[in-house]
Amino acid sequence: MTVAAPDHLHVTVHRAVLAARDFEDNWGSPLETSLAAIALARHSSAYRADAERALARCLRWWRDERPRPISADVAALALTARAASDLQRANYALTLDAVTAVADLVARQNLQIPDLHIALSVWALDTLVPERDQEPWASIRTLSGGGRSGVNVPLNTFVKAFGGDSFDANRLVQDLLGEVSAAPGLSDACILIWLVTVAAEKLSQVLRSDDNALQLLVRRRAGLVDRVVGEVDERTFFAPDVADLSLESSSPPTVPNFLTSFEALLVDVALAVRDEAVPWLTYVEADALFGARADAARLVSEELERRSRRQAGWLLVPLAAALAAVTHLSITVATIPAKVANPASAATGAFVLVIAVVVGSEARASIWRDPLAVLFSVLTLTSTTVAINQSRSHPFISDIWGLVAGALIAAAASLLPPAIERLHARASRDRGGTS
């Protein structure tokens, strides 16, 4: 997996996380809002204000609405206490409420408690209640570990390891290697990315960084990220429109991948980094790696542009002739004398030739552009003047052809410098070839 994979996935899920927030800094439920507060707190300082607002929303929920004794609200209460601690807003009463709520929930063994909610609560309270002889750890240790399947198996292993009397890092890493599937479903992969990330953070405090089992677990996490990257884009977090799924087709409809904002939050927590934006390459390294390729691409692009401009200019030449002919024919059909039709058609053709010269050449690349543009512009003006003068019963310019000749001779003279320069360059090349 390249370094771009987690970066691309992080950008995608982080955008989905921010898009799920409403104008009241609420992510739809206390569980998601509290998890968002932790996720934003784990990012760079640029998201500190967003994390503070999410935490403030959770605190209002805790004080004013009071959490219900259900697993989602209990987990949200524990995550709120963790977010407050991460943002240096630790609240003893909040932590005590969270501990009491988790212990009471776990003590009700007749309930079917989602393992993910328990795992989130355990992770949230891990650093807030370090003494394992206190609640909620005593109640956590009474949870049964059987009858589970799929992603719930590593979640239960995580809970048991974090809530045990002592943290057995070697056993946890070995158990997770055996229980974390290498090819889970998309939703389970998001949960496992979070689970392996937070477990590895705890394990790295005990195990050496070069521990083989820990490195294998980290590589397993990289494989999970690579698995999710291949199937997640911006549209993954938009619920599919059921009305678009045809029920009349003989084959079953294809349901696109869909992840909730809660799953996006889990991945965002896992991939968050506190550092400010750091480039994968330094600017010197990036220039050395991509500079020559960028220069070559720029030269190719400029050559293509020059070729396109020349082709467009040459295509305008027959268009100029065609428009001149159409103008002459139209004026002749209107029974206007030839002495007016001829200069009018010449003016039309010359005007299009001005455009052809401007479009077909670059000012820096062609020595003929400006002289030719001047010549055809003068021809356009003089032809228009002749057409107007000849259409009058009493011409306002008596010697019109003398004026035209003088203007055209002056304009044609501008062609002499580039012609002399071109002849001089050719002679220099001939002398160089002879020697």
Side-chain angles (χ1 to χ4, degrees):
M1 181 182 68
T2 65
V3 294
D7 183 59
H8 172 74
L9 179 60
H10 183 210
V11 170
T12 303
V13 298
H14 192 63
R15 287 174 178 171
V17 166
L18 295 180
R21 174 178 54 186
D22 64 18
F23 66 96
E24 293 182 345
D25 296 305
N26 186 16
W27 270 259
S29 71
L31 179 60
E32 292 189 47
T33 306
S34 57
L35 190 57
I38 294 180
L40 294 169
R42 288 167 68 92
H43 284 76
S44 67
S45 57
Y47 294 98
R48 173 81 185 204
D50 294 309
E52 295 277 5
R53 291 198 298 270
L55 175 61
R57 179 67 184 89
C58 292
L59 292 176
R60 290 197 301 272
W61 164 73
W62 169 57
R63 293 181 181 128
D64 302 336
E65 301 175 34
R66 303 304 301 170
R68 297 165 296 173
I70 60 175
S71 61
D73 281 13
V74 170
L77 191 58
L79 291 170
T80 300
R82 172 67 178 264
S85 176
D86 290 348
L87 293 170
Q88 289 79 49
R89 300 284 191 273
N91 187 310
Y92 176 77
L94 174 62
T95 302
L96 183 60
D97 275 4
V99 169
T100 303
V102 172
D104 290 345
L105 177 70
V106 175
R108 289 178 280 168
Q109 295 284 354
N110 59 324
L111 295 178
Q112 292 294 327
I113 308 172
D115 290 284
L116 179 57
H117 291 171
I118 296 298
L120 287 168
S121 302
V122 166
W123 170 63
L125 297 177
D126 176 48
T127 56
L128 298 181
V129 188
E131 297 82 7
R132 289 306 191 258
D133 58 345
Q134 298 182 5
E135 288 290 2
W137 310 120
S139 298
I140 293 292
R141 289 192 288 272
T142 65
L143 286 172
S144 62
R148 288 176 171 83
S149 61
V151 72
N152 289 323
V153 175
L155 284 171
N156 183 257
T157 298
F158 174 87
V159 169
K160 288 290 187 181
F162 272 56
D165 293 320
S166 60
F167 182 66
D168 190 342
N170 289 306
R171 180 176 179 180
L172 175 60
V173 70
Q174 293 294 339
D175 288 345
L176 289 179
L177 283 174
E179 296 168 357
V180 173
S181 172
L186 188 57
S187 178
D188 287 351
C190 295
I191 296 174
L192 290 175
I193 289 173
W194 167 81
L195 176 66
V196 174
T197 299
V198 296
E201 290 174 355
K202 179 81 169 181
L203 291 168
S204 62
Q205 299 173 7
V206 180
L207 302 177
R208 291 167 52 91
S209 59
D210 58 353
D211 182 84
N212 290 334
L214 180 58
Q215 290 185 350
L216 283 173
L217 186 63
V218 172
R219 282 198 289 271
R220 182 67 58 81
R221 173 184 179 269
L224 291 169
V225 171
D226 208 18
R227 150 96 172 85
V228 175
V229 166
E231 299 191 30
V232 169
D233 56 26
E234 301 289 348
R235 295 170 296 179
T236 306
F237 300 96
F238 291 94
D241 189 354
V242 179
D244 293 338
L245 302 178
S246 176
L247 299 179
E248 299 178 357
S249 176
S250 58
S251 59
T254 301
V255 180
N257 291 327
F258 171 64
L259 292 176
T260 65
S261 57
F262 178 69
E263 290 157 334
L265 279 164
L266 289 174
V267 179
D268 197 33
V269 169
L271 300 182
V273 290
R274 292 188 182 275
D275 297 335
E276 302 295 338
V278 178
W280 293 111
L281 298 174
T282 64
Y283 292 112
V284 175
E285 292 171 334
D287 182 67
L289 182 60
F290 303 113
R293 187 180 303 174
D295 291 339
R298 177 176 53 80
L299 292 175
V300 171
S301 176
E302 290 176 353
E303 177 60 27
L304 289 174
E305 181 182 359
R306 282 195 294 269
R307 187 179 304 172
S308 300
R309 290 172 68 94
R310 286 196 298 268
Q311 292 175 348
W314 283 112
L315 287 174
L316 286 173
V317 173
L319 178 63
L323 288 176
V326 169
T327 302
H328 188 277
L329 180 62
S330 301
I331 295 177
T332 302
V333 170
T335 65
I336 297 176
K339 64 178 182 178
V340 177
N342 291 337
S345 60
T348 302
F351 177 73
V352 178
L353 289 176
V354 173
I355 299 175
V357 170
V358 174
V359 171
S361 60
E362 295 180 289
R364 294 176 296 177
S366 176
I367 60 176
W368 296 101
R369 171 176 171 161
D370 290 343
L372 286 174
V374 170
L375 175 62
F376 291 129
S377 297
V378 171
L379 181 59
T380 301
L381 293 175
T382 55
S383 299
T384 302
T385 302
V386 170
I388 295 174
N389 190 71
Q390 297 293 85
S391 65
R392 295 171 59 88
S393 57
H394 299 286
F396 57 86
I397 300 177
S398 58
D399 187 15
I400 186 63
W401 297 111
L403 175 64
V404 170
L408 292 177
I409 291 173
S414 64
L415 298 175
L416 289 176
I420 294 173
E421 182 180 345
R422 181 60 61 86
L423 290 174
H424 178 72
R426 180 177 298 177
S428 297
R429 287 198 301 271
D430 293 340
R431 286 196 300 269
T434 303
S435 60

